[in-house]
Amino acid sequence: MNMSRFALVVCPHCRNPFIIEPGPRIVSCRNCNKRLEAARLKVFFSSDNFQEVQAARASVVAGLSGDSAGFEEAAPRLGRDVMERIGERLQERRFIEDKRRVNEKMEEEARQTRKKGQQAILREAFEELSEKGDVAIEEYWAKVSFHGIDRLKFDQWVEKMVETGVAYSPKYGFLRKS
């Protein structure tokens, strides 16, 4: 990092922009709580003026949310070179659209989980997958893991299905409806 007092960085995991001050070797993302090495983070903007760094962060957030007018509004305060650098890294339409879709899907999945309950989700997912024949346990896990079900609970559920005769295992790693 440069010798500026404040720096705008973006979490490589969740793409959340946040401001850090030089000094700590390890920082935590304010959004996903991942611990990150400060020296390995890409600095998008830095300054001794906190308001400038806040404006840069606001423009990045606007750019990520698809608000190109808000993104461009910060240009006079930051300078074209900074805006172009931020724009190249964060303003791609595909990234913005993908992030929006992922957020919508996660919100919908969270609502569904709260409404139904985990057992109903596990049961419905197995029914849906078993219509095609044998169910790969990892495919089953991938389908239900987004609902906030932890792996231990999932493994216990699979064991319970086999023990009670709801399903059986024709070969290692697969389930078949009984």
Side-chain angles (χ1 to χ4, degrees), residues 118-132:
Q118 292 181 345
Q119 285 188 356
I121 290 167
L122 288 163
R123 198 175 309 112
E124 287 174 10
F126 182 71
E127 289 294 325
E128 182 182 321
L129 291 171
S130 66
E131 289 174 0
K132 300 174 200 161

Side-chain angles (χ1 to χ4, degrees), residues 17-163:
F18 61 99
I19 299 169
I20 61 172
E21 293 182 65
R25 288 176 37 133
I26 303 291
V27 295
S28 292
C29 173
R30 276 70 164 167
N31 187 49
C32 69
N33 239 4
K34 294 270 188 201
R35 293 173 49 94
L36 309 164
E37 262 186 77
R40 300 189 99 194
L41 294 172
K42 171 117 174 80
V43 175
F44 286 93
F45 183 74
S46 63
S47 174
D48 289 327
N49 183 334
F50 187 69
Q51 276 96 14
E52 284 180 358
V53 181
Q54 279 183 315
R57 182 186 179 282
S59 71
V60 169
V61 169
L64 287 173
S65 68
D67 180 6
S68 56
F71 182 77
E72 290 296 324
E73 185 180 310
R77 290 179 281 172
L78 297 176
R80 273 314 326 150
D81 63 324
V82 174
M83 292 305 292
E84 286 169 9
R85 198 169 70 223
I86 291 171
E88 287 169 8
R89 304 285 281 168
L90 298 172
Q91 186 63 3
E92 299 170 12
R93 296 299 303 151
R94 181 172 166 236
F95 174 78
I96 293 168
E97 187 62 23
D98 288 350
K99 184 169 177 28
R100 184 188 61 75
R101 280 192 209 135
V102 167
N103 287 342
E104 286 174 0
K105 182 73 172 164
M106 288 175 65
E107 288 170 10
E108 178 60 30
E109 296 291 336
R111 279 194 295 275
Q112 294 299 325
T113 300
R114 285 190 296 272
K115 286 180 188 173
K116 292 185 192 173
Q118 292 181 345
Q119 285 188 356
I121 290 167
L122 288 163
R123 198 175 309 112
E124 287 174 10
F126 182 71
E127 289 294 325
E128 182 182 321
L129 291 171
S130 66
E131 289 174 0
K132 300 174 200 161
D134 289 351
V135 177
I137 291 176
E138 290 306 312
E139 180 184 1
Y140 185 21
W141 165 244
K143 186 163 183 71
V144 299
S145 64
F146 294 107
H147 294 281
I149 299 169
D150 68 0
R151 184 63 193 234
L152 179 62
K153 187 173 271 188
F154 171 77
D155 290 338
Q156 290 170 344
W157 173 261
V158 169
E159 285 178 31
K160 183 179 172 186
M161 286 174 44
V162 171
E163 287 173 5

